[in-house]
Amino acid sequence: MAIFGAKKRLGEQLIDSGLITEEQLQLALAEQKERGQRLGETLMQMGFMTNESFSNFFSSVMGIPTVSPEELKDYDPKAVEQVGDDLVRKHMVLPFAFDPDNINAIHVAMAEPNNLGQIDDIEMASGMEVMPFYAPQTELNIMLDKIYGKRSTMEAADDFLKEHEEEYGTAQDKEEEDTVGEAPIVKIVRSMIQQSVREGASDIHIEPMEKQLRIRSRVDGMLQEDAVYSPAMLAAMTARIKIISGLDISEKRKPQDGRLTYIVDGVEFDVRVSILPTVYGEKTVMRLTKKQGLTQEKKFLGLYPDDEARLDGIMNNPHGIILVTGPTGSGKSTTCYTVLNELNKPDVNIITVEDPVEANIAGINQVQVNVKAGLTFASALRSILRQDPDIIMIGEIRDSETAQIAVQASITGHLVISTLHTNSTSASVTRLIDMGVEPYMIGDAVVGIIAQRLVRRLCPNCKVGHEATRQEKILLGYPLDQPLTVYEPGGCDICGKGYKGRKAIYEIMPISAAIRRVLHETVTAERIEEAAVAEGMNTLRMAGARNVVEGITSIAEMVRVAYDMDAQTAANADVLSGGEEEPAA
């Protein structure tokens, strides 16, 4: 077994190394107790340490080597067998190789490689000396899910079909109540949610087809197929999901919406469930949101310094409306909650009205919309205005009544934060006009608009670079006489398709005096955008191009999320009109 020196606790060793403070350790220990997870994971999730600094601590201070994702993917199945599935699952570790220099030693990847209790257990079970290596728990979870997750799910599916073979051979329309209590279905649903969470999925789709039941998940904004089951499992699987999300299992003809809270690896997720009847049965979509991920610090939004300065200027307004806009799944809720966190002070009364409340924030009064009880956005807002609020957050402005009340609230001295479904900052203004708000009122009420999208990050391990062509430079707004390397997705074992993770891009428009003048004159989205760009605003296309130039994402991804027809037409026209395209390097 490796020698660790003085047998101090991990927290004490991190303090001695100057990586965290005593105060941070106490906060993390309290949070760890509540979450029931490892100290290292808690420290990283709270932002006190990065994975890189944690890895460096083990390698440089403790003398424990780290193991790369590639080495984990090439694990030796015989090493796992040597330790045993039960112990591997219990401690969430991965024996990945035998030591080439010592036939009696085994390499084990661990999230806490100085955990002597785990090491003793593994040595007793395997009969070998353990050589510990550090690996983040998230990486270990992904690998263990690949090894055990789908295997156990398929075994549970087979068990279910065997138990119900005769029933489903004659009566596939059997009532859900008869099957929902079966352990295999419980195991399948639990495993499905856990696997999707560990892969970083935002949505799970359970889709009944004519001859199969397809399970897909949306990872980094793109759907991927995870599994295919027999359609005989649909009724029991849907019933199980209905029960845990508080829906009516006897109702199969109407759409239903529910929600539940699920804890995976000590992290709490809000799961919104939508069930829709289709010709082959009920389709279920589960949206996964990490509650803690919505309440992060502003520095984690990924803003460039100039955009952050614009956002700060907007947030410093004592009253007015701040709008966050974009399509579903573009990160609007994260931005709203982050802004609320920044504004949340003991001397400020903040009240929100949401549908649903996606994250609970200490010190903020949050109201859940209940349409059946008559508690709508509009009715809740009227009551909130009698609660002496300083700041109000409206989950979404959906109708003219809510828009009018929000405008009145902002004009009477309140700061209002809300979301709107439009494609750009300038389009948000015309959308409010369509809702019946007068242009001059918008100029007086709205103080800033934030439009955003999420672009996929290129995998740093396999992205492929090439010299940008003339057309690509025009699309990016880059000088034609300067060299530029742009990158495309490659594809490796780590990412699969060339992308890993996502990053937000922003278009932030403070409502300045110049834009107010436009609102009093001719109100068109194009004219508003021109005025904003003239004052230094970066459009979504500009923000996307900036990330392409820096090698963060690809041109194809920029075009996918922030397509600009005029820019594309100009680039094509320049090439076709005689401008010779530069050869690729």
Side-chain angles (χ1 to χ4, degrees):
M1 181 168 63
I3 303 299
F4 296 104
K7 293 184 180 180
K8 290 185 178 180
R9 291 180 178 273
L10 176 61
E12 295 172 348
Q13 293 168 329
L14 290 170
I15 291 174
D16 291 345
S17 302
L19 293 170
I20 61 171
T21 64
E22 177 66 35
E23 182 183 5
Q24 288 173 330
L25 174 61
Q26 294 307 317
L27 289 171
L29 288 172
E31 190 73 16
Q32 179 199 17
K33 186 177 180 180
E34 187 175 320
R35 296 184 189 180
Q37 64 183 24
R38 301 181 193 281
L39 177 61
E41 294 298 302
T42 306
L43 287 165
M44 287 186 279
Q45 288 173 8
M46 295 180 73
F48 296 153
M49 292 188 69
T50 63
N51 180 42
E52 184 179 4
S53 61
F54 208 54
S55 299
N56 290 338
F57 163 74
F58 281 114
S59 60
S60 60
V61 179
M62 303 294 293
I64 299 173
T66 59
V67 56
S68 68
E70 293 91 341
E71 290 175 285
L72 289 180
K73 288 180 185 295
D74 292 332
Y75 78 98
D76 187 344
K78 292 182 179 178
V80 176
E81 291 176 14
Q82 185 73 28
V83 174
D85 292 345
D86 290 342
L87 203 58
V88 168
R89 288 178 169 184
K90 176 184 175 183
H91 292 313
M92 299 298 285
V93 299
L94 180 59
F96 64 95
F98 294 101
D99 193 278
D101 300 322
N102 184 352
I103 59 172
N104 294 316
I106 189 170
H107 294 185
V108 181
M110 309 171 68
E112 291 185 355
N114 60 342
N115 190 319
L116 300 180
Q118 288 186 5
I119 290 173
D120 288 342
D121 282 354
I122 297 169
E123 289 188 336
M124 289 182 65
S126 65
M128 303 185 75
E129 179 185 352
V130 169
M131 305 295 291
F133 286 71
Y134 169 73
Q137 190 64 60
T138 51
E139 292 289 344
L140 290 173
N141 290 343
I142 290 171
M143 281 304 303
L144 293 172
D145 239 10
K146 288 180 178 178
I147 296 170
Y148 297 112
K150 291 186 179 179
R151 182 203 304 175
S152 60
T153 303
M154 295 308 295
E155 287 173 354
D158 290 340
D159 291 344
F160 176 83
L161 291 174
K162 286 176 184 176
E163 290 177 18
H164 297 80
E165 185 174 3
E166 291 184 7
E167 300 170 32
Y168 284 109
T170 57
Q172 290 193 16
D173 291 329
K174 180 172 172 62
E175 289 298 312
E176 286 96 332
E177 292 91 336
D178 295 339
T179 60
V180 71
E182 298 295 332
I185 280 297
V186 174
K187 189 175 181 180
I188 289 168
V189 172
R190 180 175 63 247
S191 180
M192 178 175 61
I193 295 174
Q194 290 175 345
Q195 288 177 44
S196 297
V197 164
R198 288 166 183 163
E199 288 179 359
S202 60
D203 302 86
I204 305 170
H205 292 243
I206 303 169
E207 303 170 307
M209 304 291 175
E210 184 178 7
K211 297 181 179 179
Q212 64 183 27
L213 177 62
R214 181 173 65 176
I215 311 295
R216 295 194 292 174
S217 60
R218 190 178 294 277
V219 179
D220 293 337
M222 306 298 285
L223 280 171
Q224 63 182 31
E225 185 171 285
D226 292 334
V228 174
Y229 299 124
S230 164
M233 294 175 56
L234 175 64
M237 188 180 291
T238 305
R240 173 61 185 165
I241 293 169
K242 284 181 178 179
I243 284 177
I244 61 177
S245 56
L247 299 178
D248 183 357
I249 64 172
S250 65
E251 179 57 73
K252 294 188 283 186
R253 298 167 298 173
K254 296 178 182 178
Q256 295 191 67
D257 294 310
R259 65 183 301 185
L260 64 137
T261 297
Y262 212 92
I263 297 176
V264 180
D265 302 330
V267 180
E268 191 175 13
F269 285 81
D270 181 74
V271 184
R272 279 186 274 173
V273 178
S274 173
I275 296 180
L276 179 71
T278 71
V279 291
Y280 294 117
E282 292 176 290
K283 176 186 175 180
T284 300
V285 174
M286 292 186 281
R287 167 150 289 192
L288 310 169
T289 306
K290 184 164 65 174
K291 288 195 173 186
Q292 188 198 16
L294 292 171
T295 55
Q296 57 188 358
E297 294 181 41
K298 188 174 61 178
K299 64 183 179 182
F300 295 117
L301 288 178
L303 291 159
Y304 285 106
D306 51 347
D307 284 334
E308 186 171 348
R310 290 189 186 90
L311 179 59
D312 287 339
I314 291 171
M315 289 169 55
N316 287 334
N317 283 280
H319 53 79
I321 299 176
I322 300 174
L323 289 175
V324 183
T325 182
T328 301
S330 58
K332 299 189 299 297
S333 296
T334 300
T335 301
C336 283
Y337 277 111
T338 299
V339 169
L340 279 183
N341 251 347
E342 290 282 321
L343 298 172
N344 188 13
K345 303 289 188 297
D347 58 348
V348 176
N349 179 22
I350 301 177
I351 306 178
T352 75
V353 51
E354 306 169 62
D355 184 22
V357 174
E358 296 186 74
N360 298 317
I361 306 177
I364 293 180
N365 307 283
Q366 296 172 274
V367 177
Q368 168 71 53
V369 165
N370 188 338
V371 177
K372 291 181 180 178
L375 185 62
T376 63
F377 279 113
S379 63
L381 273 173
R382 292 192 192 94
S383 297
I384 285 172
L385 290 172
R386 295 191 287 271
Q387 290 282 317
D388 185 32
D390 297 298
I391 299 171
I392 302 168
M393 188 185 92
I394 309 169
E396 183 184 346
I397 295 179
R398 297 178 178 174
D399 52 51
S400 58
E401 186 179 12
T402 306
Q404 295 286 355
I405 297 172
V407 168
Q408 291 297 328
S410 67
I411 291 174
T412 53
H414 304 89
L415 184 63
V416 179
I417 302 165
S418 187
T419 67
L420 198 64
H421 283 285
T422 59
N423 291 324
S424 64
T425 53
S426 55
S428 299
V429 175
T430 55
R431 176 76 178 115
L432 289 175
I433 294 172
D434 291 341
M435 287 181 172
V437 182
E438 294 293 336
Y440 72 89
M441 292 285 285
I442 297 173
D444 290 339
V446 180
V447 294
I449 307 174
I450 305 159
Q452 64 183 84
R453 298 288 190 280
L454 294 175
V455 295
R456 290 181 292 170
R457 291 177 179 270
L458 287 165
C459 174
N461 294 290
C462 64
K463 64 182 182 181
V464 181
H466 69 268
E467 179 63 29
T469 64
R470 181 185 185 87
Q471 185 178 17
E472 288 172 337
K473 289 180 182 178
I474 294 170
L475 270 176
L476 296 170
Y478 196 82
L480 299 179
D481 59 345
Q482 294 183 20
L484 172 66
T485 300
V486 293
Y487 294 88
E488 296 177 352
C492 64
D493 289 338
I494 296 175
C495 63
K497 296 181 179 179
Y499 295 98
K500 189 171 178 63
R502 290 190 290 178
K503 179 183 186 295
I505 58 173
Y506 299 92
E507 178 179 294
I508 301 178
M509 182 174 73
I511 304 299
S512 63
I515 293 175
R516 288 192 182 94
R517 284 195 294 272
V518 173
L519 292 175
H520 283 280
E521 297 167 4
T522 305
V523 184
T524 65
E526 292 78 9
R527 183 71 188 88
I528 295 168
E529 184 175 295
E530 286 174 8
V533 170
E535 293 192 325
M537 182 188 81
N538 297 311
T539 65
L540 285 169
R541 186 182 65 82
M542 292 176 184
R546 196 170 182 176
N547 281 270
V548 172
V549 170
E550 293 183 6
I552 295 170
T553 193
S554 66
I555 290 179
E557 185 69 3
M558 179 197 82
V559 170
R560 184 180 71 85
V561 300
Y563 181 71
D564 188 323
M565 186 178 293
D566 292 336
Q568 181 72 61
T569 303
N572 292 338
D574 185 86
V575 173
L576 294 173
S577 64
E580 292 187 6
E581 190 174 346
E582 295 178 353

